[in-house]
Amino acid sequence: MRMYDIIKKKRDGFELTKAEIEFFAFGAADGNIPDYQLSAMLMAIYFKGLTKQETADLTVAMAASGDMVDLSALGTVTADKHSTGGVGDKTTLIVAPIVAACGIKVAKMSGRGLGHTGGTVDKLESIPGYKTTLSKDEFFAAAASSGMSVIGQSGNLAPADKKLYAIRDVTATVESIPLIASSIMSKKIAAGAECIVLDVKVGSGAFMKTKEQAEMLAREMIDIGTAAGRKTAAVISNMDIPLGKNVGNSLEVIEAVETLHGNGPADLKELCVELAANMLTLASKGSLDNCRGLALQALESGAAFETLKACVAAHGGNTDYIDNPELFDSAKYTLEIKADCDGYITAMDSERIGNAACMLGAGRKTKEDSIDPAAGLEILAKTGSKVCKGDILAKLYTNDEKLFDAAANEYKAAITLSDTPVEVMPIILGSMR
Ligand code: URA
């Protein structure tokens, strides 16, 4: 088999066989196919697309190109969730404890933040002592004892995707639904959970800018998961407005703890309950309605909070910070962003708000950058709010005062103030099986 012929076949719009897809994916992982041929192939896929069968074959091949985690030793049903990326998205820190408190193990790998979106691993690492790298035995022991474990992605998880994603990033081939779907699902399938819930974000802070695009991506991912023998569902959620109120690593852990105590923002609580309920219903805990009740009970009884604490302890983290979030170091400097006229907030550009948090030190521009766990921002007025001149819209936090100017300008540019109010879209825009 020759890569040249496979590229030509796809370029001319023909369907590839499973063997041809495997040749491409395994060749990407083991370095046998040069980057220029991988790039040409990705561009051919970008323009000609992939059939459902090709997408499923590519996903399974990319998953099989590295370690396949077997969670069966945990002895119970396992569930995982994945967000397509957003601003202020700390849902894993709330959803995983809720689901684990209901008896379904969550042993998952999460990513770091890159660009304007945050990553769960960075948030967890803001808890002093929390280890996001564990041996396989430690990972299983943490999940067995506390019901959940969240670690960073193993170096050898779906290496074909790692290689292809790096090339897509520099060849303008990221925005392809079959490539995004196979990329995400290859890692979810390799990570081993039987039940997978996808939080597909739509709006200014998301990859998918329209609900139609989000539904197409969700459908593709659900079909891939189902074909691979995993129970898969999706929730379509609104990322036109950042989720909750805090953006930044320790700030988001603090907000997650508040939510586990019943004091979190309504949008965050609603989305977490919905994601948890979807995971529980896939795990055969009853109807979706029933599972919403179970999720709420785990939250309101404090069981989910205790589960997060047990997980932090199992990872070597200092649980005093979970009991008393005021122990987290605060940033040295704070700047208030104030409304410069009366009006209604009619739009927020979530991507720019994510960028502002990054500029303060909460995120990285390149993988090598270090982050400031205390940096970020607190949103005090969101889309739909009526504000008066001088009202505080947000507070920015950083340990480097020089970063304020650019971040404040970015935040202000993200906010649209108008004379007439707007109708605010709900947080949950749909769900799919
Ligand atoms: N996240 C991924 O893991 N892959 C993509 O292609 C896009 C987002």
Side-chain angles (χ1 to χ4, degrees):
M1 212 176 279
R2 293 192 316 162
M3 196 56 213
Y4 175 91
D5 301 316
I6 299 174
I7 297 169
K8 186 162 177 285
K9 190 170 170 188
K10 182 44 64 186
R11 181 201 70 186
D12 295 341
F14 294 102
E15 185 173 34
L16 301 175
T17 64
K18 185 164 183 261
E20 287 164 336
I21 297 265
E22 284 175 350
F23 183 87
F24 162 57
F26 296 152
D30 61 24
N32 282 340
I33 302 173
D35 288 3
Y36 49 84
Q37 284 188 314
L38 296 177
S39 308
M41 179 67 182
L42 289 166
M43 194 55 88
I45 294 175
Y46 180 89
F47 280 115
K48 297 291 176 179
L50 291 175
T51 63
K52 283 248 178 259
Q53 189 57 51
E54 287 175 312
T55 310
D57 290 341
L58 178 60
T59 309
V60 171
M62 290 201 296
S65 68
D67 296 340
M68 296 283 281
V69 181
D70 178 2
L71 296 176
S72 59
L74 288 171
T76 64
V77 181
T78 50
D80 195 355
K81 70 164 275 285
H82 180 83
S83 150
T84 57
V87 178
D89 184 358
K90 64 287 287 176
T91 53
T92 293
L93 304 177
I94 303 158
V95 173
I98 293 177
V99 172
C102 294
I104 301 300
K105 297 259 189 296
V106 183
K108 74 186 260 66
M109 295 183 186
S110 286
R112 292 188 182 280
L114 190 64
H116 71 282
T117 65
T120 304
V121 165
D122 294 326
K123 293 168 201 176
L124 286 168
E125 284 180 354
S126 73
I127 304 168
Y130 189 105
K131 283 189 280 177
T132 54
T133 306
L134 295 183
S135 69
K136 191 175 157 207
D137 286 350
E138 289 169 330
F139 176 52
F140 276 80
S145 66
S146 69
M148 63 172 279
S149 175
V150 184
I151 56 171
Q153 214 160 282
S154 120
N156 198 32
L157 196 84
D161 173 62
K162 196 170 184 184
K163 176 74 189 181
L164 292 176
Y165 192 83
I167 293 184
R168 286 167 59 208
D169 211 17
V170 292
T171 56
T173 50
V174 169
E175 299 92 341
S176 148
I177 286 186
L179 290 177
I180 296 175
S182 54
S183 165
I184 291 174
M185 290 306 289
S186 64
K187 289 172 287 214
K188 289 290 109 182
I189 289 167
E194 293 155 75
C195 306
I196 301 168
V197 171
L198 303 156
D199 178 7
V200 182
K201 308 277 190 195
V202 194
S204 58
F207 261 122
M208 300 292 129
K209 303 293 180 201
T210 67
K211 189 164 176 239
E212 291 66 35
Q213 286 174 332
E215 283 170 350
M216 274 165 67
L217 178 61
R219 174 53 48 217
E220 198 86 21
M221 292 195 289
I222 291 169
D223 289 349
I224 294 170
T226 309
R230 311 298 167 93
K231 294 186 191 171
T232 312
V235 173
I236 314 286
S237 72
N238 181 4
M239 192 29 75
D240 249 345
I241 306 175
L243 187 59
K245 62 179 174 61
N246 290 358
V247 184
N249 296 290
S250 61
L251 288 167
E252 292 192 42
V253 174
I254 294 167
E255 189 177 6
V257 170
E258 286 168 359
T259 306
L260 289 168
H261 282 311
N263 305 323
D267 59 343
L268 179 60
K269 178 178 171 185
E270 185 181 344
L271 179 58
C272 289
V273 168
E274 193 63 15
L275 292 170
N278 272 272
M279 289 164 80
L280 292 168
T281 194
L282 289 185
S284 305
K285 283 282 192 180
S287 68
L288 193 53
D289 244 1
N290 208 31
C291 290
R292 286 190 188 108
L294 293 177
L296 274 171
Q297 207 181 341
L299 204 54
E300 284 161 8
S301 65
F305 169 75
E306 291 303 329
T307 302
L308 178 70
K309 225 171 102 177
C311 166
V312 169
H315 280 253
N318 184 342
T319 55
D320 291 348
Y321 286 75
I322 305 301
D323 278 328
N324 302 299
E326 59 281 2
L327 291 177
F328 279 102
D329 284 339
S330 328
K332 263 194 250 160
Y333 306 104
T334 307
L335 179 77
E336 292 174 346
I337 305 284
K338 294 187 175 165
D340 45 22
C341 59
D342 295 353
Y344 295 90
I345 299 183
T346 52
M348 299 176 90
D349 183 330
S350 299
E351 182 168 343
R352 294 194 87 154
I353 293 175
N355 285 339
C358 277
M359 288 170 174
L360 294 165
R364 0 179 131 66
K365 286 185 209 73
T366 70
K367 277 203 206 106
E368 289 68 37
D369 288 349
S370 60
I371 54 170
D372 173 355
L377 52 93
E378 188 183 353
I379 301 168
L380 299 177
K382 291 173 74 165
T383 304
S385 307
K386 183 176 188 319
V387 294
C388 298
K389 184 175 177 186
D391 281 356
I392 303 169
L393 302 180
K395 287 184 186 171
L396 311 189
Y397 299 98
T398 185
N399 281 307
D400 181 352
E401 223 174 351
K402 295 191 297 299
L403 302 177
F404 272 143
D405 276 356
N409 287 337
E410 188 71 3
Y411 194 91
K412 285 180 193 157
I415 304 296
T416 308
L417 272 177
S418 309
D419 292 336
T420 41
V422 278
E423 199 184 322
V424 182
M425 283 211 303
I427 178 68
I428 293 164
L429 302 175
S431 60
M432 291 167 66
R433 286 285 175 86

